[in-house]
């Protein structure tokens, strides 16, 4: 019994930081509708800034003063990020801001590396709270009790701010109807900046408060972002009490998980999230998103067209060049090209549901990694021949997509995205923690192709055939009735339903096709590398491919492929530099701000403009 | 006070306002009449810059509004009451009023919450109720009161009588006359000719985004053919 | 004449507010019938319940004798009900003719086909429907550049592609210039006459209603207060009071 109580107390203490970070994310989303991927980075910044300040400031006052100052500092950094990066893109197409926030993650990662170095920092103990208190004979760290006491105070303070102050009233009003708040004379731009700063400050506070328990390291941003999204989604996007309840549930469950079912800790919260979303699609205290409320902004689209003679010539020339490449290129170039093709197919599969279907999946890596793992597991455990295992990859990924899609397709918008993220994390944690089957983070190794492919050039041709075949297959579907129906459901679901199209079923099928194609890419990948690790299933992998699609251009057919080639190429070159993340992050932010239609989209607009000028001059 | 010069506004591809021009003088109460879809709401939104005109000018007290964000327009003293009310349903009556609050301004009547509760006694009784618990008529009162909290010099009322019970419409008419007595300049868009005649001095009739008539109600009555052609009578 | 649509005691309430309160009527085969009423009277709610976009709180809807109450829109469509929307919902990323082709693909049960190229399918047939609404010259333009009136015509062509027995048109002429309104309703009247389609439409423009509708129903605060021909409706004192005007509501107010 006493042990039980102590466990609950530990869980409640852990909930403190989680709630702080989650409440910030929830606030930001509620008002600005931005899903701020960089929120974990503010948490990490909070930890590092906190450590530094605590070093400088001595004693009791220093410790708590440092925590408050950290909140302030991170809040200011948040305001800066909002003004410089997000303001220019509020009018860009929906969810395009995501990419910008991802750029921010990369920039902050490298800045933190530059300033604080790669060493993990131990957090200082809170002065006067070093030991433990015995509660029914069980030792409970004093600092835990303080955290447990602080959390309700913070919840109350936030509740007071939101419900009892003018700023809070404006924030709640803006959550409901931004335009009307503007029409009543409130400058939304500053309201947004204020909310973003507050949300960032909360994340920073969370980072500083957990220092005595966790310290500071460079992986904190990605480590927390998964749990934070889970908490916000379980609680209901935009609901503070929801975030609090969810943070407590997740933290307490997690502590019990560690005690009783250590293999399950990572899976547990995603299982809880999936169950909650299936029962209550908008979270415990969240509200239904009104359709069309946050509609797509941006220029009207042009009908897709198959390439004309000139376009086809370019594609054929490109393919010919790729086919002839082994004659001139060395092994290094060929290996790079294999990576490019694999990534291009992966990106094309996401682009298929994102561009044509309007389905933004945050968890597409589940299918890429799922395919890779399916093939690898067959080879590793049953010595299945490579050919057979390879074919199993797309099938397994397609089946996985059918299973996941069955739950996800019922939701739309951000909730759809979040549920895909939850499921992909579920798959990731399986790979990570089911060690007896997957060998955890040791990965599955020695997964080499059959003898006839076991050299760079033959495998290059194999990749070229499979990758290009997959991409052409997806392109063909886009031009087929099925692809048109998918696009119809995106353009106007109401009209599509009124003309007999079962929009959800079309989306479900498309989701499965996209999953299978990602699995195909995963199949090629695993045999090209000879191994697969849980990292292929990580959130970061899902984000990478999402960014590639946005960078290439969502509304252009070639977007995914061009974006993938661009990113793989740039990354290969950049990663030779020490601070490549910083440069890549700035590059991403620059593309988002300068070329909101993506690379292909912007090039096309430029091309149209040039032709227009030429025509004018011809006259 | 308010001057529209040759404005053209679009909703996506739909050309809604087609070369619309008119003026409103200080202290006037003007009715903007026309059928559904004639462009009345778009005119109001174009003044507020919620639907910025693609060409033409909107000036308020000699200052150019075109291209400003909506909140600047509101801060200059134009209060806007949208036709679909758009009250904040999760907020209480008092909180709704708080969102609308702006500092007092010269040349415009100043309102306090208590004064507004005097005009709208129903709201006083329900001050702690949330917007979603109120009837359509009460919501309409609330959106007007909320806008008055900004102490506007010019009030734009988009179809205040739409979809509410006749008795409330009558109450609304009294309210508007009271506002006029306080020296407020008001533009009301209406489909209800009787309501408009009861509360306004002048009628502007638009159809397909073009001005078809601009004059007093006496003048309008002298031309029944105009009324028959452009109003849903 | 026989009934194509029968509605019995249809009700819809939102949080206790009765938006539609016990509406019953029928539409005959080959009839062009209008549903009019003030804003907020419940016209759109009624329409959305006929085609399944909304589930009625109570009441029944029968299409040609078959009960279709609360059926999903696409199932109602399969049974031969076409619909145009107050705010057009065409596919912006497709060309004009592709919009109609999409309807035909669904009509021919080929939504899930992945082999053929969609733009080659049923193109001639689609051009035929564009011809009906007079838009063949715009067939290959992107839908996103069409004028508003043309979008409305395109929606009509899309609805016709399924050879509907009944066509529901929600404010078909809203936002159009007066001359374009007359053209569109004349076109609709021709289709009713030539193809035997029944049409139920809501409308605010009384010229359009009185010029084309065979019968007119008036809805006020969720209740049907009149159902008859133009003459009967025009002279109905209740209708004049709540909708067409001519009442004395503001005599008192104007003297206050």
């Amino acid at each position: 019994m006493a042990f039980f109580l102590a466990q609950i107390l530990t869980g409640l203490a852990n909930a403190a930081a989680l709630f702080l970070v989650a409440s910030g994310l929830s606030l930001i989303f509620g008002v600005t509708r931005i899903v701020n991927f960089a929120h974990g980075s503010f948490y990490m910044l909070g930890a590092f800034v906190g450590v530094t300040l605590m070093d400088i400031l001595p004693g009791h006052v220093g410790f708590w003063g440092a925590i408050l100052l950290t909140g302030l500092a991170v809040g200011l950094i948040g305001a800066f990020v909002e003004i410089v990066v997000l303001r220019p893109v509020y009018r860009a197409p929906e969810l395009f801001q995501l990419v910008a926030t991802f750029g921010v993650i990369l920039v902050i990662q490298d800045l933190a590396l530059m300033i604080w170095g790669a060493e993990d920092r131990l957090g200082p103990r809170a002065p006067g709270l070093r030991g433990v208190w015995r509660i029914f004979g069980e030792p409970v760290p004093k600092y835990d009790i303080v955290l447990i006491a602080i959390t309700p105070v913070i919840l109350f303070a936030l509740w007071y701010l939101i419900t009892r102050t003018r700023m809070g009233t404006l924030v709640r009003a803006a959550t409901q109807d931004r335009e009307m708040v503007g029409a009543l004379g409130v400058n939304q731009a500053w309201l947004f900046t204020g909310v973003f700063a507050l949300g960032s400050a909360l994340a920073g506070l969370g980072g500083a408060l957990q220092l005595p328990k966790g310290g500071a390291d460079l992986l904190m941003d990605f480590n927390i972002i998964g749990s934070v999204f889970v908490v916000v989604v379980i609680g209901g996007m935009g609901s503070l009490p929801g975030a609090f309840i969810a943070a407590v549930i997740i933290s307490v469950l997690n502590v019990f998980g560690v005690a009783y079912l250590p293999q399950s800790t990572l899976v547990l919260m995603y299982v809880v999230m999936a169950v909650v979303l299936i029962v209550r699609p908008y979270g415990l205290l969240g509200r239904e998103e009104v359709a069309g409320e946050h509609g797509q902004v941006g220029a009207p689209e042009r009908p897709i067209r198959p390439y004309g003679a000139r376009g086809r010539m370019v594609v054929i020339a490109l393919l010919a060049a790729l086919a002839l490449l082994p004659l001139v290129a060395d092994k290094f170039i060929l290996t790079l090209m294999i990576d490019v093709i694999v990534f291009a197919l992966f990106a094309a599969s996401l682009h298929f549901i994102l561009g044509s279907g309007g389905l933004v999946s945050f968890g597409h890596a589940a299918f890429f990694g799922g395919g890779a793992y399916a093939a690898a597991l067959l080879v590793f455990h049953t010595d299945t021949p490579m050919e057979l295992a390879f074919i199993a990859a797309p099938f397994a990924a397609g089946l996985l997509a059918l299973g996941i899609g069955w739950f996800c397709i019922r939701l739309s918008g951000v909730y759809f995205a979040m549920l895909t993220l939850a499921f992909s994390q579920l798959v990731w944690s399986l790979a990570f923690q089911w060690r007896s089957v997957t060998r955890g983070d040791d990965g599955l190794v020695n997964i080499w192709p059959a003898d006839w492919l076991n050299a760079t050039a033959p495998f290059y041709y194999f990749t070229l055939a499979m990758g290009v075949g997959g991409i052409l297959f997806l392109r063909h579907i886009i031009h087929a009735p099925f692809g048109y129906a998918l696009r119809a459901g995106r353009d106007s679901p109401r009209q599509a339903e009124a003309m007999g199209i079962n929009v959800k079923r079309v989306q479900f099928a498309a989701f499965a096709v996209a999953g299978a194609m990602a699995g195909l890419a995963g199949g090629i990948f695993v045999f090209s590398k000879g191994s697969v690790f849980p990292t292929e299933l990580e959130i970061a992998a899902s984000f990478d491919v999402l960014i590639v699609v946005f960078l290439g251009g969502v509304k252009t057919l070639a977007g995914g492929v061009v974006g993938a080639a661009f990113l793989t190429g740039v990354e290969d070159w950049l990663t030779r530099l020490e601070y490549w993340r910083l440069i890549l992050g700035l590059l991403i932010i620059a593309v988002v701000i300068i070329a909101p239609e993506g690379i292909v989209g912007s090039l096309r607009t430029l091309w149209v403009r040039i032709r227009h000028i030429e025509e004018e001059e011809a006259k | 006070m308010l001057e529209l010069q040759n404005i053209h506004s679009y909703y996506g591809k739909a050309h809604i306002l087609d070369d619309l021009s008119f003026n409103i003088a200080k202290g006037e109460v003007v009715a903007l009449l026309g059928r559904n879809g004639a462009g009345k709401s778009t005119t109001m939104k174009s003044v507020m810059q919620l639907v910025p005109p693609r060409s033409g000018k909107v000036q308020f007290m000699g200052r150019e509004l075109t291209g400003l964000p909506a909140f600047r327009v509101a801060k200059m003293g134009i209060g806007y009451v949208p036709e679909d009310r758009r009250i904040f349903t999760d907020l209480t009556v008092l909180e709704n009023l708080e969102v609308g609050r702006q500092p007092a301004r010269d040349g415009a009547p100043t309102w306090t919450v208590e004064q507004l509760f005097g005009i709208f006694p129903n709201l006083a009784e329900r001050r702690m109720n949330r917007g979603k618990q109120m009837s359509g008529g009460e919501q309409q009162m609330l959106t007007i009161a909320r806008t008055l909290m900004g102490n506007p010099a010019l009030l734009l009322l988009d179809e205040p009588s739409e979809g509410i019970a006749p008795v409330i419409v009558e109450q609304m008419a009294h309210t508007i006359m009271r506002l006029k007595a306080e020296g407020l300049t008001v533009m009301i868009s209406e489909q209800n000719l009787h309501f408009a005649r009861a509360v306004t001095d002048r009628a502007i009739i638009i159809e397909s985004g073009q001005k078809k008539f601009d004059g007093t109600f006496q003048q309008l009555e002298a031309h029944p053919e105009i009324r028959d052609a452009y109003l849903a009578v | 004449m026989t009934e194509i649509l029968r509605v019995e005691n249809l009700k819809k309430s939102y949080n206790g507010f009765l938006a539609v309160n016990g509406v019953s009527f029928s539409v005959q085969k080959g009839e062009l019938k209008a549903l009019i009423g003030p804003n907020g009277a419940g016209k759109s709610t009624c329409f959305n319940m006929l085609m399944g976009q909304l589930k009625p709180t109570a009441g029944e809807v029968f299409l040609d004798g078959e009960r279709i109450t609360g059926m999903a829109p696409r199932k109602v469509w399969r049974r031969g009900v076409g619909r145009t929307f107050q705010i057009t919902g065409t596919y912006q990323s497709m060309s004009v003719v592709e919009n109609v082709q999409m309807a035909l693909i669904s009509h021919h049960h080929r939504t899930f086909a992945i082999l053929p190229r969609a733009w080659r399918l049923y193109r001639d047939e689609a051009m035929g429907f564009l011809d009906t609404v007079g838009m063949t010259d715009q067939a290959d333009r992107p839908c996103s550049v069409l004028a508003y009136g043309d979008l409305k015509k395109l929606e009509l062509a899309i609805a016709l592609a399924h050879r509907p027995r009944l066509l529901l048109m929600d404010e078909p002429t809203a936002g159009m210039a007066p001359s374009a309104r007359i053209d569109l309703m004349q076109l609709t009247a021709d289709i009713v006459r030539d193809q035997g389609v029944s049409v139920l439409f809501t409308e605010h423009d009384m010229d359009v209603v009185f010029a084309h509708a065979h019968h007119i129903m008036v809805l006020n605060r969720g209740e049907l207060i009149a159902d008859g021909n133009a003459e009967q409706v025009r002279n109905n004192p209740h209708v004049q009071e709540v909708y067409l005007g001519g009442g004395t509501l503001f005599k008192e107010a104007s003297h206050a």
Side-chain angles (χ1 to χ4, degrees), chain B residues 62-81:
Chain B
R63 286 195 284 172
E64 182 66 44
L65 300 185
T66 329
L68 292 180
F71 83 91
R72 288 240 173 269
V73 177
K75 275 201 183 292
M76 286 167 75
I78 303 185
Y80 167 61
V81 178

Side-chain angles (χ1 to χ4, degrees), chain B residues 175-222:
Chain B
T175 307
I176 292 167
M177 282 180 279
R178 164 98 187 261
L179 298 179
K180 187 188 172 190
E182 298 272 352
L184 205 59
T185 311
V186 187
M187 177 162 82
I188 305 174
S189 83
E190 260 304 331
Q191 292 196 66
N192 185 328
L193 183 61
H194 314 290
F195 180 83
R197 190 181 333 183
V199 300
T200 64
D201 312 322
R202 178 155 73 99
I204 296 169
I205 297 179
I206 60 172
E207 169 69 37
S208 303
Q210 295 173 326
K211 188 166 80 176
K212 299 293 183 187
F213 174 85
D214 188 346
T216 64
F217 280 91
Q218 285 82 1
Q219 288 167 332
L220 180 57
E221 259 151 49

Side-chain angles (χ1 to χ4, degrees), chain A residues 373 376-377 379-381 428-447 530-535 537:
Chain A
Y373 261 96
L377 286 170
V379 173
F380 192 84
H381 289 291
W428 168 75
S429 42
L430 272 178
F432 197 79
Q433 285 192 319
W434 197 3
R435 299 192 65 91
S436 58
V437 175
T438 63
R439 304 207 327 139
D441 53 0
D442 294 336
L444 297 166
V445 290
N446 283 327
I447 316 293
S531 59
V532 60
F533 298 93
T535 43
L537 293 157

Side-chain angles (χ1 to χ4, degrees), chain A residues 45-112:
Chain A
L45 275 181
F48 278 112
V49 172
V51 164
T52 309
L53 286 175
M54 284 169 195
D55 280 350
I56 302 169
L57 305 169
H60 284 271
V61 181
F63 179 81
W64 296 106
I67 288 180
L68 289 179
L69 280 178
T70 300
L72 200 67
V74 177
L76 285 176
I77 296 171
F80 176 78
V81 167
E82 199 272 345
I83 292 170
V84 173
V85 179
L86 294 176
R87 264 197 202 175
V89 296
Y90 278 124
R91 292 208 156 266
E94 201 181 57
L95 291 170
F96 204 68
Q97 298 103 339
L98 287 183
V99 184
T101 65
F102 194 82
V104 173
I105 295 183
L106 296 175
V107 171
I108 292 181
Q109 265 181 351
D110 263 6
L111 287 180

Side-chain angles (χ1 to χ4, degrees), chain B residues 33-91:
Chain B
L33 301 172
R35 280 186 281 225
N36 220 25
K40 302 188 296 294
S41 294
T42 310
T43 307
M44 302 238 166
K45 288 183 179 168
S46 290
V47 172
M48 284 309 289
Q49 305 298 320
L50 291 169
V51 178
R54 283 210 197 149
S55 64
K57 279 181 159 187
V58 185
Q59 289 191 317
F60 176 64
M61 301 206 288
R63 286 195 284 172
E64 182 66 44
L65 300 185
T66 329
L68 292 180
F71 83 91
R72 288 240 173 269
V73 177
K75 275 201 183 292
M76 286 167 75
I78 303 185
Y80 167 61
V81 178
E83 72 180 314
D84 41 1
R85 302 189 191 118
R86 293 169 74 169
I87 60 161
F88 305 112
T89 49
D90 290 343
L91 272 56

